[in-house]
Amino acid sequence: MSVDALPRFRAENVRGMLRHGLITVVFCCFIAAALAITQHGSWGVQMVYSLSIGLISWLFIDVGRLLISGHKEILWPSGPWGYLLVAGGVTVGFLGGNAIGDAWTNQPLLDFRSFTERKLATTIIITLTATVCMCFFFYSLGRTKHMRRQIELAQRNATEARLKLLETQLEPHMLFNTLANLRALIATDPPRAIAMLDRLNNYLRMTLSGSRALAHPLSAEFDRLADYLELMSVRMGERLRYTLDLPEDLRDTPVPPLLLQPLVENSIHHGLEPKIEGGRIAVRAHQDAGRLVIEVSDTGVGLEADRPAAEGNGFGLAQVRERLATMYGDQGQMSVAPGPAGGTRTIISFPLPPRT
């Protein structure tokens, strides 16, 4: 739906009107107290006049601004319409509110001649000042809300652009490695090279036909990972064994695309390939205390003795760490440590989205 087609009295706008109405009631109480003090009158009578004038002005201005600009993003008329709306609200509120107050107190209807000059001037000044101040207050709230939405939109667009940039860096990295391996197989084992090329075609077809959204279901990430591991199995043969464990209740959890493949690629390149007999890679997802935890463990050669466990290595790990920081801030965590039975275990975790 386009912005110009938004309904004027949508739920968000109605809620905003009601908030303005409640603030107006509170403000009218202070005005009634001010009038009672300056004019030495009854606070109850002043409350009737104040609420009548304030609520009529509020309804006139709030309904008027939505009728004029409610289908737009900024809910306030531009140009002279805004000033005319305030002037109309002050006039209608003053006359209508005084009429209601006069009827309530059994006074002659709109008989301003019964007012002393000081009383009439005070009433007009307080009414005018209060209405203008309330309009400016509500206008400032609306502008602040609009600016906050614009800032959030800019930040979201920047995050999307950053994630897309990181993804475009990761995919060629994986493709170049695969093509290099394919080139070696063409010379040494043409049948396996053909099988690997078929797997690569399937993988690229799945990748290009998939969504380019910022997130997709965890099940899609596991499916894509399975395609990649099958592609690597053509090259490594029985030296590569793997298991994928995804609980049913986590299949629809949204995650950034291409999150797990760099971790598995790192396990293959730094863990299994240097080992003559190869090994096993296990990818397991589970939830813990409201967080999604994904473990990628291998039975490869393990971490180097002179490398801190928490640093990890390789282009892929650095990109995954940066993607987590971009998407989840301090809530996204990644650790690389020796596995309990040898090899390496990489763990990433971030908050689960609230269930709808």
Side-chain angles (χ1 to χ4, degrees):
M1 180 182 293
S2 64
V3 173
D4 289 339
L6 289 174
R8 289 175 169 83
F9 293 93
R10 55 189 181 274
E12 178 186 2
N13 292 351
V14 173
R15 287 194 296 268
M17 282 186 59
L18 294 178
R19 283 195 298 270
H20 293 171
L22 291 175
I23 296 173
T24 301
V25 169
V26 174
F27 203 63
C28 287
C29 294
F30 289 103
I31 295 176
L35 289 172
I37 292 173
T38 57
Q39 298 181 7
H40 306 289
S42 169
W43 182 82
V45 172
Q46 299 298 346
M47 177 62 78
V48 172
Y49 279 96
S50 179
L51 282 176
S52 300
I53 295 173
L55 291 178
I56 290 176
S57 297
W58 158 66
L59 279 175
F60 184 92
I61 295 173
D62 242 3
V63 173
R65 71 181 177 89
L66 292 182
L67 289 175
I68 297 173
S69 60
H71 61 287
K72 300 178 181 177
E73 190 173 1
I74 300 179
L75 302 178
W76 188 260
S78 59
W81 288 106
Y83 299 103
L84 291 175
L85 185 63
V86 173
V90 171
T91 303
V92 173
F94 180 77
L95 295 177
N98 274 287
I100 294 175
D102 291 342
W104 179 268
T105 57
N106 295 318
Q107 297 292 325
L109 185 63
L110 297 177
D111 186 7
F112 299 119
R113 290 174 300 178
S114 63
F115 282 30
T116 65
E117 182 178 348
R118 177 175 177 272
K119 180 179 178 181
L120 179 60
T122 302
T123 302
I124 293 176
I125 290 173
I126 290 180
T127 301
L128 181 62
T129 303
T131 304
V132 171
C133 289
M134 289 299 294
C135 288
F136 179 76
F137 176 70
F138 294 148
Y139 174 76
S140 299
L141 283 181
R143 290 289 299 180
T144 301
K145 185 177 180 181
H146 171 70
M147 293 301 297
R148 189 183 303 116
R149 282 200 299 263
Q150 292 300 310
I151 292 173
E152 291 174 352
L153 178 61
Q155 291 175 337
R156 185 164 59 251
N157 289 339
T159 299
E160 292 177 1
R162 186 174 182 81
L163 288 172
K164 289 299 181 185
L165 175 62
L166 292 173
E167 186 172 344
T168 58
Q169 291 173 339
L170 281 168
E171 287 178 339
H173 177 73
M174 172 266 169
L175 185 59
F176 293 153
N177 286 345
T178 303
L179 291 176
N181 294 324
L182 181 60
R183 183 178 184 277
L185 277 179
I186 290 175
T188 59
D189 195 342
R192 291 179 62 193
I194 294 175
M196 187 175 187
L197 184 59
D198 291 339
R199 289 287 186 182
L200 179 60
N201 287 337
N202 182 64
Y203 174 83
L204 292 177
R205 188 182 303 110
M206 293 288 293
T207 300
L208 295 175
S209 63
S211 171
R212 304 297 295 176
L214 285 180
H216 64 177
L218 185 56
S219 59
E221 185 72 5
F222 267 67
D223 291 341
R224 191 176 188 180
L225 187 59
D227 289 334
Y228 173 75
L229 285 167
E230 284 297 317
L231 182 63
M232 293 298 100
S233 295
V234 175
R235 177 169 59 87
M236 297 183 63
E238 295 182 355
R239 296 179 61 233
L240 173 61
R241 301 173 300 278
Y242 66 89
T243 58
L244 302 176
D245 181 10
L246 175 60
E248 189 66 29
D249 59 338
L250 294 177
R251 292 184 60 84
D252 295 330
T253 303
V255 297
L258 210 65
L259 183 66
L260 300 181
Q261 180 183 306
L263 305 180
V264 173
E265 186 176 351
N266 186 76
S267 291
I268 293 175
H269 182 67
H270 296 285
L272 302 190
E273 283 189 331
K275 198 172 182 179
I276 295 177
E277 67 274 22
R280 175 178 293 276
I281 293 177
V283 182
R284 184 172 74 94
H286 66 279
Q287 55 179 315
D288 181 22
R291 295 176 66 85
L292 175 64
V293 181
I294 303 177
E295 300 180 14
V296 178
S297 57
D298 64 69
T299 59
V301 296
L303 294 170
E304 298 170 2
D306 60 345
R307 187 179 71 218
E311 290 183 2
N313 74 318
F315 174 81
L317 289 185
Q319 294 296 78
V320 170
R321 185 177 283 110
E322 191 169 355
R323 283 162 67 84
L324 288 173
T326 301
M327 195 75 174
Y328 304 104
D330 294 338
Q331 295 295 314
Q333 300 174 0
M334 184 177 81
S335 64
V336 183
T344 306
R345 180 172 64 178
T346 304
I347 300 176
I348 62 174
S349 69
F350 47 86
L352 281 167
R355 301 237 181 224
T356 56

